[in-house]
Amino acid sequence: MKRIFGILLTGGLLFLCSVSTLAHDPVKPYPSRPRNGYAVASWYGRPFHGRYMASGVRYNMHNPTIVAHKTLPLGTPVRIKNPKNGRAIVVWVMDRGPYIKGRAFDLSYAAARELGLVGEGVAKVYYEVLRF
């Protein structure tokens, strides 16, 4: 009985270790080092609400901590600031995109609302990668 429990415990720990990190995405190559600076951001909402993101979590457009980026590792925290009004928010890369040329970030509806970007739809923002 102890042997079976030990085997199950070891297998469970190995499984948890293999799925516990969001920092691995075999589809996209990672940048050599993260950059901070200005980029174009947009937001995505209702058509994607409830769908699975690249991280395996369902997208919630009312969650202000979600952002999509093409190459940053999943789970990377990023501070995004709207230079027009000075509002800033910390978001985590949980999805891939945007898939429109020239855009670097796709914010959740709630994140865009907090930054004051909903009306504009697309805006230039300052971003800072907090941990890579």
Side-chain angles (χ1 to χ4, degrees), residues 12-64:
L13 289 174
L14 289 173
F15 174 75
L16 287 176
C17 290
S18 68
V19 296
S20 66
T21 180
L22 294 175
H24 177 68
D25 184 7
V27 177
K28 296 283 184 180
Y30 297 153
S32 57
R33 66 182 172 90
R35 295 183 180 194
N36 301 334
Y38 288 92
V40 176
S42 56
W43 63 272
Y44 63 129
R46 189 163 310 282
F48 299 95
H49 186 71
R51 292 186 184 180
Y52 285 100
M53 296 182 288
S55 62
V57 177
R58 287 187 184 267
Y59 174 65
N60 180 354
M61 65 185 263
H62 304 293
N63 183 342

Side-chain angles (χ1 to χ4, degrees), residues 7-128:
I7 291 170
L8 290 175
L9 181 62
T10 303
L13 289 174
L14 289 173
F15 174 75
L16 287 176
C17 290
S18 68
V19 296
S20 66
T21 180
L22 294 175
H24 177 68
D25 184 7
V27 177
K28 296 283 184 180
Y30 297 153
S32 57
R33 66 182 172 90
R35 295 183 180 194
N36 301 334
Y38 288 92
V40 176
S42 56
W43 63 272
Y44 63 129
R46 189 163 310 282
F48 299 95
H49 186 71
R51 292 186 184 180
Y52 285 100
M53 296 182 288
S55 62
V57 177
R58 287 187 184 267
Y59 174 65
N60 180 354
M61 65 185 263
H62 304 293
N63 183 342
T65 64
I66 296 173
V67 71
H69 190 270
K70 292 175 191 158
T71 58
L72 284 173
L74 296 175
T76 301
V78 180
R79 179 180 292 119
I80 297 182
K81 181 178 180 179
N82 183 348
K84 288 185 179 179
N85 60 19
R87 295 182 191 174
I89 189 170
V90 175
V91 293
W92 281 264
V93 177
M94 298 295 288
D95 204 1
R96 292 294 172 216
Y99 297 106
I100 297 175
K101 189 175 181 176
R103 297 184 191 177
F105 294 99
D106 248 347
L107 299 160
S108 69
Y109 168 77
R113 188 181 66 228
E114 286 195 26
L115 290 172
L117 302 178
V118 172
E120 297 176 45
V122 177
K124 190 174 188 178
V125 296
Y126 180 80
Y127 71 96
E128 178 184 357

